[in-house]
Amino acid sequence: MSRVANDRAAKNSGAKASRLPDTPPPSDTVRLAEALIFCASTPVTEADLAARLPPGTDMRAVLAEIAGAYADRGLVLARVAGGYAFRTAPDLAPALRGGVPEPRRLSRAALETLAIVAYHQPVTRAEIEEIRGVTTSKGSLDLLLETGWVRLRGRRRTPGRPVTYGTTPAFLDHFGLDAVSDLPGLDELKGLGLLEGRLPAGFRVPQPGDAAGADEDPIDGPPLPGDAAAE
């Protein structure tokens, strides 16, 4: 996990464990919820859990019970990508580095493209190139689509109907974020040492969000030929 992800996991860890209910939910219900979260390959939402647990289950109480049980363990219950998942306790991250195969590293161009998509979505390829100041290669966007961190969102209501790009729940999950709005802002980026020196006058970090653009139509059905690298 990156430092940002660890900080996010610590902040999101647990479903408010300090507010455990006076009457704990039935242990069988808690155990089932724990198993459902543990076995899931992606973060599990409250709605997903409610569909599998007894009717009338107090989901907040169940999640708080699980979070409290794992508060001092090697794993913690974290809220990521709008759901819940077990993650390594942030304070153990230094001891675990090197024990997991390194994932495929992204090129600088791909990282810059990913950052632009995350902060400026919905964004077209032409807009990405304008922000970066260089032509974006077909390979960078293809790689991000392949990793599952970037998706085709829709089409702009402009001539040519260019495709717009945005991030995915897998992106949020990987970086330990609950929502795009949890991406670090200017002050946090400075605190992490990612922005150093004197910044240009008027420099700002966009307020990230994933709401539909006013001039954007969703993509219906399968993507058209060339969409992955178009526009």
Side-chain angles (χ1 to χ4, degrees):
M1 251 190 201
S2 67
R3 181 177 173 184
V4 172
N6 283 331
D7 291 344
R8 294 295 179 187
K11 186 173 76 172
N12 294 331
S13 174
K16 300 180 177 61
S18 61
R19 291 193 233 164
L20 288 173
D22 294 333
T23 304
S27 60
D28 287 347
T29 300
V30 175
R31 291 176 61 237
L32 176 56
E34 179 183 4
L36 290 170
I37 296 171
F38 185 84
C39 294
S41 58
T42 57
V44 182
T45 65
E46 288 190 29
D48 293 334
L49 290 172
R52 302 288 297 275
L53 298 178
T57 295
D58 184 342
M59 294 307 309
R60 290 180 181 273
V62 169
L63 292 166
E65 188 80 10
I66 297 173
Y70 281 85
D72 299 317
R73 306 283 293 277
L75 300 177
V76 295
L77 182 65
R79 183 171 172 82
V80 290
Y84 294 87
F86 286 112
R87 292 290 182 264
T88 304
D91 61 299
L92 298 180
L96 297 175
R97 290 196 182 100
V100 178
E102 283 290 325
R104 181 177 180 179
R105 291 186 176 275
L106 297 180
S107 66
R108 178 174 178 178
L111 285 172
E112 290 177 355
T113 300
L114 177 62
I116 291 170
V117 171
Y119 279 92
H120 293 268
Q121 60 185 304
V123 62
T124 66
R125 179 176 176 180
E127 291 166 343
I128 294 172
E129 293 177 346
E130 181 179 356
I131 294 170
R132 289 191 65 218
V134 296
T135 300
T136 299
S137 69
K138 177 178 181 290
S140 293
L141 280 171
D142 282 344
L143 176 58
L144 294 174
L145 290 165
E146 181 183 327
T147 62
W149 292 352
V150 167
R151 64 186 174 93
L152 305 178
R153 285 179 47 118
R155 289 185 178 278
R156 275 283 161 73
R157 299 174 194 154
T158 56
R161 303 282 288 162
V163 168
T164 56
Y165 297 89
T167 53
T168 67
F171 166 83
L172 298 176
D173 187 8
H174 181 84
F175 289 98
L177 304 169
D178 183 33
V180 174
S181 57
D182 289 333
L183 282 165
L186 179 59
D187 292 339
E188 192 168 358
L189 289 172
K190 287 181 178 178
L192 292 170
L194 299 178
L195 291 177
E196 299 178 348
R198 187 167 184 175
L199 299 175
F203 179 87
R204 67 182 183 85
V205 172
Q207 179 61 43
D210 57 3
D215 60 348
E216 179 190 31
D217 290 322
I219 289 182
D220 296 321
L224 300 176
D227 273 354
E231 296 81 23

